[in-house]
Amino acid sequence: MTDLPTRRSRRLAEADHARAADQAARAAAAEPPTVAIDLRAPAPVPEIVTGRRRDRTPSGAAGGSDDRTRVMGILNVTPDSFSDGGLHLAVDAAVTHARDLVAAGADLVDVGGESTRPGADRVPVEVEQQRVLPVVRQLVSEGIAVSVDTMNASTAERAVEAGAAIVNDVSGGLADDDMARVVRDTGAGFVVMHWRGHSDRMHRNAVYAHAVDEVRREVELRVAELIVLGVREEQVVIDPGLGFAKQGAQNWEILAGYERFASIGLPVLVAASRKRFLDGVGSAAGAPPRDRDLATAAISLLAAERGAWGVRVHDPAPTRAVLDVWDAWRAARS
């Protein structure tokens, strides 16, 4: 009998707690939920991304320096890239080559620490960052515009913190779920490439009934997903992904269908440089990849004529030469 007051007190306390919880629930239901609003101004998008795009200017109109098709020089800080693996793996060698790219006409340098050649294995993130971050910091300190070629959000974030203006992600943010947040929060330009899987298995997915229509639809869908995640349209450059989950003739179909990609209304990057589908076109079949630079320059000219935002090349010199001729031709027509 001595514990009856204790039991009664416990029951009363439980009843009071239940009434309080019920009152709180009623109050919550009666009031609209509070929505947190981020009042911070969005980070500015780098000028190299947002300059006037020639695919949105009147036909034949010439503009200033921001009206030109940009030349993105490729800097592979890797031991196994298909064309130049191992040549620029040391930081000093990479920085020297970047300077050479700029001297040859590159508007920006695309620094990558993980090969995406067909069949390539993934590289640990720490290794990738050890390769690219010192190079990015040095190039930025010299006033060179830099993009970082990575599928890893943490590498992208650290590279942008170091001064990179653009994240060039061959997976379009699909390989790392955090990539959209990094791009959204930093305001960096974002090259969104068409992607159907990592390099060790991508060619199994090179199956299309209508390559241009299917690639365009998948790119457009991916951009829409990124915008829902907070990436701004003005940050995005699209890349149809030549050579990625595409075989031989499919790449030529994509190039011939350029206007279908431009019609999405976003700037387009064309990245054909030295790729396998150029073997035997403008050079002997089976020749080293560097012998495909003239074919690459020809594609650069055709892309520029159609209004491409940029072209990604290993050797900027022949591409810059043909683009300078095209710009002079355009200027004379205006």
Side-chain angles (χ1 to χ4, degrees):
M1 297 293 291
T2 56
D3 64 343
L4 284 176
T6 302
R7 290 178 180 176
R8 184 172 183 274
S9 298
R10 188 181 301 127
R11 287 198 299 271
L12 291 172
E14 290 172 351
D16 289 341
H17 178 73
R19 280 195 296 272
D22 181 66
Q23 290 171 354
R26 290 173 181 271
E31 296 180 5
T34 301
V35 178
I37 299 175
D38 188 351
L39 298 177
R40 295 174 300 174
V45 180
E47 185 177 352
I48 197 165
V49 178
T50 59
R52 289 196 308 278
R53 302 200 292 271
R54 293 181 42 211
D55 52 356
R56 288 191 172 181
T57 57
S59 177
S65 60
D66 65 347
D67 194 36
R68 298 193 306 171
T69 294
R70 295 148 181 78
V71 177
M72 179 185 284
I74 299 169
L75 177 55
N76 291 316
V77 192
T78 60
D80 57 344
S81 292
F82 80 93
S83 176
D84 54 3
L87 294 179
H88 316 118
L89 188 56
V91 172
D92 289 347
V95 170
T96 297
H97 186 60
R99 293 171 183 149
D100 291 342
L101 292 171
V102 173
D107 296 297
L108 69 158
V109 175
D110 191 39
V111 183
E114 178 178 12
S115 175
T116 52
R117 63 179 172 77
D121 294 324
R122 297 301 309 275
V123 170
V125 176
E126 308 79 41
V127 173
E128 180 191 43
Q129 293 181 5
Q130 289 167 6
R131 292 173 179 176
V132 304
L133 293 178
V135 178
V136 170
R137 293 189 189 100
Q138 181 59 38
L139 298 185
V140 170
S141 74
E142 296 182 17
I144 295 173
V146 172
S147 62
V148 59
D149 178 3
T150 183
M151 291 181 280
N152 295 307
S154 61
T155 301
E157 190 163 34
R158 293 189 64 186
V160 174
E161 288 172 353
I166 296 172
V167 176
N168 179 17
D169 182 352
V170 299
S171 80
L174 290 169
D176 189 330
D177 290 340
D178 201 33
M179 186 66 84
R181 178 200 62 80
V182 169
V183 174
R184 179 197 68 205
D185 291 351
T186 62
F190 191 34
V191 177
V192 177
M193 198 193 79
H194 175 258
W195 191 72
R196 283 189 170 184
H198 288 290
S199 296
D200 60 348
R201 58 184 181 273
M202 63 182 175
H203 282 328
R204 304 176 203 165
N205 301 321
V207 179
Y208 305 89
H210 303 284
V212 173
D213 290 343
E214 292 171 51
V215 172
R216 184 191 188 281
R217 183 167 59 249
E218 290 170 27
V219 169
E220 196 168 24
L221 175 61
R222 183 56 191 152
V223 171
E225 292 170 342
L226 290 165
I227 290 173
V228 168
L229 293 171
V231 177
R232 286 169 284 155
E233 182 179 317
E234 59 266 29
Q235 291 177 260
V236 176
V237 174
I238 59 174
D239 176 351
L242 298 169
F244 286 81
K246 298 167 191 71
Q247 301 280 15
Q250 293 167 341
N251 296 288
W252 292 109
E253 291 174 29
I254 296 296
L255 286 170
Y258 174 90
E259 287 78 5
R260 294 279 291 135
F261 296 97
S263 70
I264 293 174
L266 294 169
V268 179
L269 174 68
V270 175
S273 186
R274 296 183 180 177
K275 290 186 176 176
R276 188 180 302 172
F277 75 95
L278 297 179
D279 184 35
V281 179
S283 61
R290 64 177 176 274
D291 287 2
R292 303 169 192 165
D293 285 336
L294 288 180
T296 299
I299 290 174
S300 296
L301 175 58
L302 293 168
E305 187 178 18
R306 285 154 180 77
W309 171 88
V311 290
R312 184 177 182 270
V313 301
H314 290 84
D315 182 1
T319 281
R320 175 54 69 199
V322 297
L323 294 189
D324 285 348
V325 170
W326 166 237
D327 285 330
W329 186 310
R330 278 196 314 136
R333 289 166 52 187
S334 62

